[in-house]
Amino acid sequence: MRVPVGVKLSAFALVIMGSYTYFANSIPQIESKPPAELSLEGGDVSPAQLVKFGEEIFHTKGTCEICHKIGEKGTRAPDLAGVGARAAHRRPGSTAKQYLIESLLEPQAYLVEGYPPIMPKVDKPPIGLNRSELWALVAFLESLGGTVDVKLDDIPKTAGAPAGGGGTAAAELTLPGDPKAGQALFTGKAICFTCHTVDKIAAGKIGPDLTQIAKIQTPQYIMAKVLNPAAMGTVPGYPKGVMPPTFGQMLTAKEYVDLVAFLLTLK
Ligand code: HEC
Ligand code: HEC
């Protein structure tokens, strides 16, 4: 049967959109439903399609560009151009695929020389990618100079935010602190405002702008940075040893928790 070209095209677009939503929202479904659910025009999802999904996640939900540029050296993180090729040689005994998966799930397991341990585990909040998103993202990273060979089964079953029903909000970390009290500390007794900018609240210029800090850093990092700045590395482009190491002594336990609760609202 002959189908007019327009009809064919829009049917194709629908299948693509359908599988994108499918990818973004589901993991168990991918495993339990027949592969036909994923197929475009009857075949399995192609590496090229997977790479496209991964690229989209890189630019949107993954928030990778806050730190990484492709083809341009960022101040915070390595240029990811060619990472699909060099991943094969990063860690003796690891294939490119294994290294890339590890860099997303356990970023501190291998630190690229000259960079601080600031990359968050991207399957945990606040980024919270699910397994199928991780799969696509690894395919995209492999495509940057390497061979796309990642399978869903390569992504550990334990990885990823829970799927389904919007998923990621479920694991949001909350602290018992009082963000309002924390804000007052930030702009008062704890003197953070003298060095840091937070939109509409503080305008310090000596340290990094913290307006979106909870979006780019994990709660663990933020908590540790306040108590022991040097142990968390130095943000590239900023002076070392300037952030005071004395907040642990200066703040009471309640003040510290309030302050962190405030910082976690900055996103
Ligand atoms: C808060 C900043 C930050 C964010 C956000 C971030 N990264 Fe990173 N990333 C780093 C830093 C710093 C390094 C180098 C230190 C290390 O190895 O952990 C790194 C290393 C990597 C590497 C290893 C590069 C190499 O040359 O070996 C990969 C791959 C990577 N990141 C991918 C991603 C992806 C994909 C995302 C988004 C889902 C992301 N990163 C989000 C900071 C970040
Ligand atoms: C005397 C100046 C100074 C004061 C006061 C100060 N900081 Fe900082 N802070 C810095 C500098 C400089 C950096 C970047 C260098 C580094 O990483 O140590 C930094 C880095 C940070 C970072 C990491 C930012 C990132 O992008 O990863 C956080 C979080 C932070 N400070 C929070 C605070 C909080 C909260 C307070 C108040 C309790 C505070 N700072 C007080 C100077 C200061």
Side-chain angles (χ1 to χ4, degrees):
M1 193 190 91
R2 307 208 77 183
V3 185
V5 171
V7 173
K8 244 189 183 163
L9 269 184
S10 51
F12 183 70
L14 275 181
V15 181
I16 290 186
M17 284 169 59
S19 24
Y20 183 69
T21 321
Y22 192 74
F23 265 86
N25 295 328
S26 62
I27 298 164
Q29 288 89 327
I30 284 183
E31 284 157 349
S32 58
K33 285 185 184 171
E37 288 283 339
L38 288 177
S39 71
L40 298 172
E41 305 279 311
D44 276 346
V45 62
S46 72
Q49 281 145 0
L50 203 54
V51 167
K52 257 189 118 191
F53 300 141
E55 183 172 10
E56 170 124 8
I57 290 159
F58 186 87
H59 294 308
T60 56
K61 185 175 172 189
T63 61
C64 317
E65 290 170 306
I66 291 177
C67 297
H68 292 282
K69 301 275 183 293
I70 297 174
E72 188 187 320
K73 204 167 173 288
T75 51
R76 286 177 178 270
D79 179 359
L80 292 180
V83 74
R86 70 175 175 270
H89 317 290
R90 276 293 194 211
R91 209 144 135 83
S94 280
T95 61
K97 180 166 70 183
Q98 286 163 343
Y99 172 77
L100 290 173
I101 293 170
E102 182 189 80
S103 12
L104 299 180
L105 300 180
E106 294 293 337
Q108 266 81 77
Y110 173 94
L111 279 186
V112 179
E113 210 188 309
Y115 289 97
I118 60 169
M119 176 158 160
K121 298 181 177 182
V122 307
D123 67 325
K124 298 285 187 295
I127 298 178
L129 300 182
N130 68 34
R131 251 183 109 215
S132 48
E133 290 164 337
L134 292 165
W135 176 28
L137 196 52
V138 172
F140 171 61
L141 295 170
E142 285 181 331
S143 78
L144 302 173
T147 309
V148 179
D149 63 353
V150 62
K151 302 274 176 293
L152 181 60
D153 280 345
D154 293 323
I155 311 295
K157 295 257 187 321
T158 49
T168 57
E172 202 73 46
L173 192 128
T174 48
L175 275 182
D178 171 3
K180 274 257 166 296
Q183 177 174 333
L185 285 162
F186 190 93
T187 54
K189 177 181 166 186
I191 64 164
C192 319
F193 73 100
T194 56
C195 293
H196 292 285
T197 291
V198 169
D199 228 11
K200 300 196 184 76
I201 293 172
K205 292 282 180 263
I206 294 165
D209 186 330
L210 300 180
T211 304
Q212 300 225 74
I213 190 69
K215 205 165 191 172
I216 62 170
Q217 297 291 11
T218 62
Q220 290 78 1
Y221 168 90
I222 293 171
M223 292 167 80
K225 184 78 187 172
V226 174
L227 292 182
N228 191 353
M232 300 314 288
T234 305
V235 179
Y238 290 92
K240 201 180 178 142
V242 168
M243 175 150 163
T246 45
F247 293 118
Q249 292 83 53
M250 179 203 248
L251 302 170
T252 67
K254 177 176 187 319
E255 286 169 339
Y256 169 64
V257 173
D258 290 346
L259 181 64
V260 172
F262 166 66
L263 295 172
L264 294 183
T265 66
L266 300 177
K267 54 182 166 192

